[in-house]
Amino acid sequence: MPVTVLTSAKSCGVTTAALALTLASARASVLVEADPAGGTIRTGLLQGQVDAGHGIYHLATAHRVGQEALTQAFASHLVPLDDAGHRQLLPGLTDPGQAAALDRTWEPLGEILQVLADDDPGYDVLVDAGRLTLDTRRLHPTLTPAPLLYAADFVLLVVRGTDQSLALAQHVIEPLKADLGEHGSGALGLLLIEEGPHGAHQVGAALGVPVIGALPWDADTAAYLTGGGKPRRGLSRAPLLRGARTAGGHIEALAARRRLALDFSAQPDTATRLGSALHRLTRQGGPRG
Ligand SMILES: Nc1ncnc2c1ncn2[C@@H]1O[C@H](COP(=O)(O)OP(=O)(O)OP(=O)(O)O)[C@@H](O)[C@H]1O
Ligand SMILES: [Mg+2]
């Protein structure tokens, strides 16, 4: 299953979209709140129920011990987002000043996420990477979790269909494209939040990157996901969650196609390539969940 990193030029709904995709996922899912500016889910949706003793910051300390300690810390710092524990969260930083401590942890964390996604059955892995910060037209090494973007299957720039959102996205899209082209291994796409006059076709054409999914404007559900409050009845049927289910399906279908293409280019023997690709396709075409 894919590792999908969400980011934005400026506060477009990255955290809300990441939560919606995680909660709507067709299978077990993990959301990593990797926004260097600090996490908001702990004090938002989770209403402060998870204290600072849990979260991504502790992975930096564990990583100093070694990769195995990091892997164990990753697993032990996940908190459930639902009663069954099928959707889990690695809560973000409580203090933006802690971001520099994670400098060397992003890369091994990216490897853990890839293993989790490739596992059988794999997890849907979502990463909230916050707003993009560029440093002379490259991803900033501390103010963005750049290695997570480089290792992802998909990097989705979240944009709204408004003039303001498009104008800001236009400034970051070229450097992002260039940096991922040089260092990344995945595909770059857009996740459209359907606010404003510009539709998917127009937004994709303006930014020169395909819109891979779209989420409806759904103020009530978004307010609950960002601010928490009384648990919402029928949340899974809300427009935002329904939209996220459809968008997740598109991401998954594209991931299957990408892996098929990678199988063909990476393996020398035709029979092996075909066998492996068909095996994956048939598995992915089967019942979900
Ligand atoms: N699909 C949506 N429909 C309606 N409102 C939305 C939607 N997505 C996000 N919002 C609202 O937009 C605001 C910003 O959302 P969110 O916090 O997810 O943005 P963000 O990109 O993570 O911001 P930041 O970069 O500051 O972390 C919130 O008030 C949220 O409720
Ligand atoms: Mg956010």
Side-chain angles (χ1 to χ4, degrees), residues 11-16 35 131 160 193 216-219 222-223 226 240:
S11 305
C12 293
V14 170
T15 305
T16 307
D35 183 342
R131 303 177 209 178
R160 294 188 182 183
I193 309 297
W217 188 251
D218 176 359
T226 43
L240 185 52

Side-chain angles (χ1 to χ4, degrees), residues 10-74:
K10 187 175 177 185
S11 305
C12 293
V14 170
T15 305
T16 307
L19 272 167
L21 287 166
T22 303
L23 295 174
S25 163
R27 58 183 55 76
S29 53
V30 170
L31 169 56
V32 175
E33 212 184 3
D35 183 342
T40 52
I41 299 174
R42 190 194 298 270
T43 48
L45 181 65
L46 298 183
Q47 298 268 287
Q49 290 159 28
V50 174
D51 65 24
H54 275 85
I56 199 165
Y57 176 63
H58 299 278
L59 270 52
T61 320
H63 182 225
R64 278 183 225 117
V65 179
Q67 177 75 23
E68 204 181 315
L70 174 64
T71 307
Q72 278 169 11
F74 173 81

